[in-house]
Amino acid sequence: MTSTMKSTKSAYSKKLLDPRWQKKRLEIMNRDSFCCQMCNDTKKTLHVHHKKYEYGKDPWEVDDDFLITVCEDW
């Protein structure tokens, strides 16, 4: 991994700590009933992933339709 890629990944990771993303993340998990949309598991650690990235948008600016709750195995 190049230093530019590491820097970009680090900057994105910091954005995931932003309260705006944390709020959006919670809203998506609530919408999905705190259930993995791939396997229906409710016991494993859950994450919110982007189904599609939109260039130039911060994670919390992405339309809800492009976000999905998945378990740690997905």
Side-chain angles (χ1 to χ4, degrees), residues 29-50:
M29 285 186 174
N30 189 50
R31 176 200 71 192
D32 293 341
S33 301
F34 293 88
C35 179
C36 175
Q37 299 302 289
M38 303 302 283
C39 71
N40 295 318
D41 193 287
T42 59
K43 304 293 182 198
K44 294 179 185 167
T45 301
L46 297 173
H47 303 278
V48 173
H49 283 279
H50 291 74

Side-chain angles (χ1 to χ4, degrees), residues 1 3-16:
M1 184 179 293
S3 62
T4 302
M5 289 171 64
K6 287 180 186 176
S7 176
T8 301
K9 186 174 181 179
S10 175
Y12 188 79
S13 294
K14 287 180 182 177
K15 288 183 177 189
L16 297 181

